[in-house]
Amino acid sequence: MAELDDIGGAAVRLPDMRVSYEAETLDEDSLAPTWHEQLQRWLDVAVDAGLPEPNAMVLATADADGMPSSRTVLCKGLDERGIVFYTNYTSAKSHDLTSTRFASVTFPWYPLQRQVTVRGEVEKVSAEETAAYWRGRPRGSQLGAWASPQSTRVDSREALDNHLTAVERRFADVDEIPVPPHWGGWRVRPVSAEFWQGRKDRLHDRLRFVRTDDDWRVHRIAP
């Protein structure tokens, strides 16, 4: 009964959990000229604030039947072309992206009362760009990319560790581990990029860059 009381107490408190967002404001005049410059500006603030994993973003995809999935990945590239992350091309997320060609990513900077959501089409990055990023990865991460059959069922942790041991032996005498043929980058090419700043009384600031045929426009969106 004590456990049930604890669970019930926690549930009762959930409706009362709230924070008044009053840290900053966001207006059109304060925006950078482009969505990627504004995102870089906010990313720099998150880094300077000491937030853990400031380049972490929630990637949302859907499969061919419309079943959604979300997971956290790391942004490893940002420029006018879009946002880049790297993964196994045989993973569940890659199957979704191959099927639908669309994705959404959200940077959730809770301590700053900010988030940025970017939606758009996806494309694989070039082999040259993938190779350049791969060379800068720690050796352990390179071995892990070879060892993990990402998103597939494994019998046990021991089985996964055995995969890694086999890969370590395979590349024991190799100074530069090659990029796996099943691994590389995806780029989200935005059709919209929304910058969200929490405000008092839930009247948040939402400014959205929207791609037109030949330019970008900024719209204020009601919270």
Side-chain angles (χ1 to χ4, degrees):
M1 290 299 295
E3 292 181 357
L4 290 177
D5 288 341
D6 290 342
I7 294 174
V12 169
R13 288 194 298 272
L14 285 174
D16 299 324
M17 295 175 64
R18 57 177 54 86
V19 174
S20 181
Y21 300 145
E22 303 179 40
E24 297 285 348
T25 63
L26 179 64
D27 58 58
E28 290 81 349
D29 292 339
S30 69
L31 286 177
T34 65
W35 73 268
H36 59 278
E37 290 174 299
Q38 180 63 34
L39 179 51
Q40 185 65 62
R41 180 184 292 177
W42 273 19
L43 181 58
D44 291 343
V45 172
V47 171
D48 292 342
L51 269 58
E53 301 281 24
N55 61 325
M57 57 188 187
V58 179
L59 168 69
T61 62
D63 65 17
D65 297 322
M67 178 63 73
S69 297
S70 61
R71 76 291 283 166
T72 300
V73 299
L74 298 177
C75 174
K76 292 297 183 178
L78 168 62
D79 59 27
E80 70 280 359
R81 296 172 297 171
I83 294 171
V84 174
F85 65 93
Y86 291 86
T87 188
N88 190 313
Y89 282 146
T90 65
S91 66
K93 69 178 80 68
S94 288
H95 284 304
D96 287 356
L97 296 174
T98 299
S99 176
T100 68
R101 311 305 295 186
F102 290 98
S104 174
V105 294
T106 297
F107 294 83
W109 295 314
Y110 305 121
L112 299 177
Q113 301 174 0
R114 287 176 173 174
Q115 66 179 8
V116 180
T117 299
V118 176
R119 298 188 304 160
E121 304 164 272
V122 297
E123 64 184 11
K124 289 182 177 179
V125 307
S126 68
E128 293 76 17
E129 194 170 348
T130 290
Y133 170 72
W134 175 266
R135 287 192 293 270
R137 294 192 99 204
R139 185 178 179 88
S141 297
Q142 293 177 339
L143 292 170
W146 275 99
S148 175
Q150 194 174 109
S151 299
T152 63
R153 180 177 175 176
V154 293
D155 293 333
S156 64
R157 177 68 202 198
E158 182 182 7
L160 188 60
D161 290 339
N162 289 339
H163 282 302
L164 178 59
T165 298
V167 169
E168 288 173 336
R169 290 172 179 168
R170 176 181 175 183
F171 294 110
D173 298 324
V174 177
D175 292 332
E176 295 187 7
I177 299 173
V179 181
H182 56 269
W183 192 93
W186 285 100
R187 176 178 290 109
V188 182
R189 299 176 58 240
V191 297
S192 70
E194 181 180 305
F195 295 83
W196 183 101
Q197 177 68 61
R199 293 291 301 275
K200 186 178 179 180
D201 298 326
R202 297 302 186 256
L203 290 177
H204 313 302
D205 287 325
R206 296 173 60 189
L207 297 183
R208 182 182 297 170
F209 286 80
V210 179
R211 191 173 72 192
T212 64
D213 290 338
D214 56 359
D215 202 357
W216 290 85
R217 293 186 179 180
V218 175
H219 302 294
R220 178 171 286 273
I221 307 299

